Amino acid sequence: MASHHFDNVDRSGSVSGPPSAGDYAFDRGFRGIAWLSAAFILALVVYIVIEIGGKALPAFSEYGLGFLTSTTWNVQTGQFGILPEIWGTLYSSLLALILGGVFGVVIAIFLTQDFLHGHLAAIFRAIIELLAAIPSVVYGLWGLYVLIPLLRPVANWLHEHLGGVPLFGTSLGGPGLGPAALVLAIMILPTVASISVDALHQVPYKVKEAAYGMGTTRWEAILKVMLPTAGSGILAALVLGFGRALGETMALAMLIGNSNQISLSLFSPANTLAALLASSFPEAGPVEVRALMYAALVLLAITLIVNAIGLAVMKFATRKFEAER
Amino acid sequence: MSEPNLTATAALIALDAAEAPRTLPNFSLNRAPFEIRALKSGFLTALTWIAALLASVPLFSVIYMLVIEGGSRLDWEALTALPPSAFEQGGGFGNAIVGTLVMVGLATVISVPIGIFAAIYLAILDPDSRLAHSVRFLSKALTGFPSILAGVFVYAVLVVIMKTYSALAGGVALAVLMLPTVVLAAEQAMMMVPKKMKDAAFGMGCTRAQVIWKVVLPTGAPGILTGVMLAIAGAAGNSAPLLFTALFSGYYLTSLTEPTASLAILIFNFSGMPYDNQIELAWAASLVLVLVVLVFNILARIIGRQKH
């Protein structure tokens, strides 16, 4: 019956009428393109992993796992090892995480726990977001010509007076791990802060009211109620910030000194996987490119694992509050 | 709560306490600003203020240096001339500005349509399918993907095959980095479109494509555009993937299949040179780059605000 009614509809007017055959074709095509685009992203990621993995395979079969534990990088003799880079990547990121993480969480608290009036908080939030907008190379330039000259006297004083402590075991000549980690901390601070802000916003308002109602001071409420409740979200912020630090390239390539050594000292030059790729890749011959592809695969594996952990923690944190509501 | 009310409550509690056999602890509702707990809280508040102010120091320092060092060198010559060689004086970075704009434009043209269509699939067509879940997860994972690896990937796929560094390869590498930002922002924007509006359109007999094309996309447009602007700002400032996809060039771009200069790589190359002229130009180029990035960031904010 229904189709009979539609048959009588005048299709010459464009105002009303059921979808024409053309409309259906458009619909099908449109949905097809949308599906293709989504599938494209899936395929792209798979392709990236396969491509980098495939290009790394020759080097993997040649150097094996010894590549990860050897410390020489010599193009002439064909000896390649990335232990110093793995060490430098993890060490610099960890230092950045400690510093950027503490500041990031404190700033998230500052922004969410009524320290500022709404208007001022928005301005301050914009300042922190602008920190994230400044390109990595500009931080590198700033680090080279502002931060390092500023740090050098401090670093050398520390080395002279506290040289026995491994952290201050060398003097700061120019680029080094300390300035690199400091710039890295500035760069991950906005990431940590913004994800922590979201985590703190997710805590139901009544939880905070209940704490204040019990007569807590502001900081008792923050430390004993807000932070534990938002804990998993803040953990996710820290893990994702760490992931960002691991892959950061340009500022590090400019500031870390690209030196193949393992040292605990904050002031000695070092290297990271990403910086190694940035500084060696453009001029590498075919043999070195294969080794660099292996290094890229290691970096990919480390960052994928760290990011997957971060996203899993974040999902857990969000689900916890959804269940409570 | 007003004060008389408070005293009334206190009096009631006191009355209760008098009647009850056991006595309640002797408390008052007066503030005790010098109690240890209050002092601790005040101390931590002060520390927080100091930390917050410290965290904004780098931003102001960077901006100050850009304006002082970069501003002093920023003139018409710097904006249009070609990069100087080692001992040459003067010069500029006109070709790098053009190169950056071309490659970011290319990346936008590639990533925005794919990103928005994928977001349509994720947000509306089939949000709970296995494909949608995995694409959503991978997009989030890609936002934390080291940008240099996008360069490695495009090097392996395009540069090796075309046998040359090119603007095209640089644009594709930037597109890989923009894609997840566009997808996630567009999905978010389309999910915000009220269900009522979609239902009304479906009720009028629209096909899904018509609902999306005529209702969801126009309504979600500000949010989508905000995401696109942020992705462009990110791509403009990103240099790591260009290192070995576009490389660098001392000349203006004539075709998409030749090595191409970009602002970020110019800053990277010039920053390490022992010549004052190059370092001054690096600061001026940084100022231009930051201004480009800021313009897109501010556009994103303005468009995003119109939504409310």
Side-chain angles (χ1 to χ4, degrees):
Chain A
M1 255 335 248
S3 66
H4 175 73
H5 278 290
F6 279 137
D7 287 341
N8 294 335
V9 169
D10 174 20
R11 285 190 176 158
S12 59
S14 62
V15 176
S16 64
S20 65
D23 288 338
Y24 279 122
F26 177 66
D27 180 51
R28 210 160 294 142
F30 194 87
R31 284 188 285 135
I33 294 173
W35 183 86
L36 272 181
S37 300
F40 174 83
I41 292 177
L42 183 69
L44 177 72
V45 177
V46 173
Y47 189 36
I48 289 176
V49 173
I50 289 177
E51 190 64 36
I52 294 180
K55 287 283 194 294
L57 206 59
F60 183 76
S61 54
E62 192 172 336
Y63 310 116
L65 290 175
F67 187 72
L68 303 177
T69 55
S70 149
T71 56
T72 40
W73 186 277
N74 191 324
V75 183
Q76 265 75 40
T77 59
Q79 283 177 299
F80 298 106
I82 54 168
L83 188 62
E85 282 76 19
I86 294 179
W87 163 257
T89 305
L90 295 177
Y91 192 37
S92 62
S93 300
L94 198 65
L95 289 173
L97 179 66
I98 293 170
L99 201 63
V102 168
F103 270 88
V105 173
V106 167
I107 281 171
I109 292 172
F110 186 68
L111 284 172
T112 53
Q113 303 305 309
D114 313 319
F115 281 83
L116 290 175
H117 282 288
H119 213 65
L120 277 175
I123 293 174
F124 191 77
R125 192 165 189 179
I127 290 178
I128 297 299
E129 279 169 13
L130 282 185
L131 268 181
I134 290 181
S136 181
V137 270
V138 177
Y139 275 124
L141 192 67
W142 177 77
L144 276 179
Y145 294 101
V146 179
L147 195 60
I148 289 179
L150 211 65
L151 279 181
R152 198 179 288 141
V154 182
N156 292 345
W157 186 88
L158 280 172
H159 172 57
E160 266 170 41
H161 292 82
L162 296 166
V165 184
L167 284 180
F168 311 125
T170 56
S171 61
L172 183 69
L177 191 72
L182 203 56
V183 167
L184 207 50
I186 297 170
M187 298 179 74
I188 67 168
L189 189 154
T191 308
V192 176
S194 77
I195 302 175
S196 302
V197 163
D198 291 343
L200 285 167
H201 273 318
Q202 271 183 347
V203 178
Y205 200 73
K206 54 186 175 187
V207 171
K208 186 158 77 174
E209 281 179 336
Y212 280 134
M214 302 276 289
T216 61
T217 62
R218 173 194 268 170
W219 275 93
E220 281 166 348
I222 292 170
L223 292 175
K224 293 180 180 160
V225 177
M226 296 305 288
L227 287 185
T229 318
S232 40
I234 291 173
L235 183 65
L238 293 176
V239 177
L240 291 175
F242 186 63
R244 185 127 311 174
L246 291 172
E248 185 42 55
T249 310
M250 297 306 274
L252 282 180
M254 291 159 87
L255 292 174
I256 205 160
N258 299 319
S259 159
N260 223 15
Q261 52 175 302
I262 300 179
S263 162
L264 262 179
S265 169
L266 292 178
F267 309 134
S268 80
N271 209 352
T272 72
L273 287 168
L276 172 78
L277 288 171
S279 54
S280 307
F281 215 111
E283 286 128 36
V287 181
E288 199 183 2
V289 163
R290 272 191 297 160
L292 286 171
M293 283 293 182
Y294 193 173
L297 183 67
V298 174
L299 177 61
L300 179 68
I302 295 176
T303 47
L304 273 188
I305 291 169
V306 170
N307 278 316
I309 293 173
L311 290 177
V313 175
M314 194 143 95
K315 205 165 189 180
F316 170 76
T318 325
R319 203 167 278 171
K320 197 172 81 177
F321 288 113
E322 275 170 1
E324 272 177 18
R325 269 173 193 167
Chain B
M1 195 180 278
S2 59
E3 208 175 330
N5 232 336
L6 267 181
T7 20
T9 321
L12 264 180
I13 293 171
L15 210 72
D16 262 0
E19 281 175 10
R22 62 200 155 80
T23 49
L24 278 171
N26 180 22
F27 68 91
S28 79
L29 289 172
N30 295 331
R31 275 197 80 194
F34 296 107
E35 204 186 344
I36 289 292
R37 297 164 58 214
L39 285 177
K40 207 170 107 189
S41 190
F43 174 70
L44 287 172
T45 301
L47 272 188
T48 308
W49 271 96
I50 293 171
L53 293 179
L54 261 182
S56 43
V57 167
L59 181 73
F60 290 115
S61 171
V62 168
I63 291 175
Y64 174 80
M65 288 303 285
L66 286 176
V67 172
I68 298 294
E69 296 277 331
S72 66
R73 187 58 200 274
L74 196 65
D75 50 23
W76 187 245
E77 188 192 4
L79 289 173
T80 53
L82 290 173
S85 54
F87 291 103
E88 209 179 318
Q89 286 303 307
F93 40 79
N95 61 337
I97 295 178
V98 173
T100 294
L101 294 181
V102 167
M103 285 190 281
V104 171
L106 216 58
T108 309
V109 169
I110 297 170
S111 64
V112 167
I114 298 177
I116 290 180
F117 269 109
I120 287 172
Y121 183 82
L122 296 190
I124 296 166
L125 289 179
D126 210 353
D128 275 322
S129 63
R130 195 179 291 171
L131 177 63
H133 277 293
S134 33
V135 169
R136 210 171 285 135
F137 178 80
L138 289 175
S139 301
K140 281 181 191 157
L142 266 184
T143 52
F145 181 69
S147 56
I148 186 131
L149 289 181
V152 172
F153 166 68
V154 173
Y155 175 87
V157 173
L158 272 181
V159 176
V160 170
I161 291 165
M162 291 170 66
K163 292 200 174 60
T164 171
Y165 300 102
S166 63
L168 190 67
V172 172
L174 292 181
V176 171
L177 294 171
M178 284 176 68
L179 200 51
T181 317
V182 175
V183 172
L184 293 175
E187 190 205 357
Q188 201 65 39
M190 287 185 221
M191 300 235 290
M192 300 292 235
V193 175
K195 194 170 179 300
K196 280 186 267 186
M197 293 176 71
K198 284 182 273 184
D199 286 347
F202 279 126
M204 293 183 66
C206 288
T207 63
R208 273 175 283 188
Q210 284 170 328
V211 174
I212 293 164
W213 191 249
K214 295 189 172 151
V215 176
V216 176
L217 282 181
T219 318
I224 298 172
L225 268 178
T226 301
V228 170
M229 291 297 157
L230 287 178
I232 292 176
N238 215 324
S239 39
L242 299 180
L243 268 174
F244 35 85
T245 52
L247 210 67
F248 192 74
S249 149
Y251 303 99
Y252 273 100
L253 172 88
T254 53
S255 95
L256 289 182
T257 53
E258 59 181 28
T260 306
S262 58
L263 282 171
I265 303 294
L266 177 122
I267 298 165
F268 180 65
N269 289 345
F270 278 10
S271 69
M273 288 187 177
Y275 313 109
D276 285 344
N277 184 33
Q278 267 79 353
I279 292 169
E280 283 168 17
L281 279 179
W283 279 110
S286 297
L287 179 60
V288 173
L289 184 58
V290 168
L291 285 178
V292 170
V293 172
L294 279 191
V295 163
F296 282 107
N297 258 299
I298 290 167
L299 276 180
R301 261 161 218 284
I302 293 173
I303 298 167
R305 197 173 297 155
Q306 281 175 349
K307 202 165 40 175
H308 303 297

